[in-house]
Amino acid sequence: VQLVESGGGSVQSGGSLRLSCAASGITHYSYGRVCMGWFRQTPGKEREGVSSISRNGVFRRYSDAVRGRFTISRDNAKNTGYLQMNTLKPEDTAMYYCATGSRVGSSLTESDYTYWGQGTQVTVSS
């Protein structure tokens, strides 16, 4: 399974970005049986869970830092997940990673995820 993130970039504070995470090497059926999560990391800090979505899209989790501003979604027919990021703040600046795992529900715990993408950089200027 390969995960490729896209959609990162540089925006001003208050702006929006939409990240995508395309999965390959996996059937639609199998993709529909994994949870998906978004994590982020800045230099010198541990990677933190941002948001996650269950296999059927019903259960969604958000960290306190992004709740109300970010929205996670997925399109199992396209093997793709998304993270819509609105009202971005400078503290949202980080490398963003998507990941998939076999957990039934949703999770912001790194160890629940098996496959990881290479990341996409998001930079928010004030």
Side-chain angles (χ1 to χ4, degrees):
V1 178
Q2 287 189 320
L3 303 177
V4 178
E5 303 94 336
S6 62
S10 297
V11 296
Q12 291 189 328
S13 181
S16 298
L17 284 173
R18 188 193 195 203
L19 304 184
S20 298
C21 173
S24 61
I26 186 171
T27 63
H28 295 318
Y29 174 80
S30 294
Y31 182 78
R33 296 184 63 78
V34 297
C35 66
M36 191 199 74
W38 287 95
F39 294 76
R40 67 186 182 186
Q41 188 172 26
T42 55
K45 294 187 177 181
E46 292 186 356
R47 189 154 52 186
E48 64 169 335
V50 174
S51 182
S52 65
I53 187 168
S54 61
R55 53 180 67 176
N56 58 8
V58 172
F59 300 103
R60 308 182 190 199
R61 290 178 187 259
Y62 298 95
S63 69
D64 291 342
V66 307
R67 188 177 294 111
R69 300 187 296 120
F70 290 12
T71 302
I72 192 170
S73 62
R74 63 189 295 165
D75 185 340
N76 290 348
K78 296 182 178 180
N79 284 10
T80 302
Y82 306 95
L83 185 68
Q84 177 67 44
M85 306 186 296
N86 298 329
T87 320
L88 283 162
K89 305 175 181 180
E91 51 263 44
D92 294 319
T93 295
M95 184 71 78
Y96 283 71
Y97 301 88
C98 67
T100 60
S102 59
R103 184 183 175 91
V104 175
S106 60
S107 170
L108 295 181
T109 303
E110 276 194 64
S111 59
D112 285 334
Y113 292 87
T114 305
Y115 297 102
W116 293 81
Q118 292 299 307
T120 185
Q121 178 67 37
V122 171
T123 302
V124 184
S125 58
S126 58

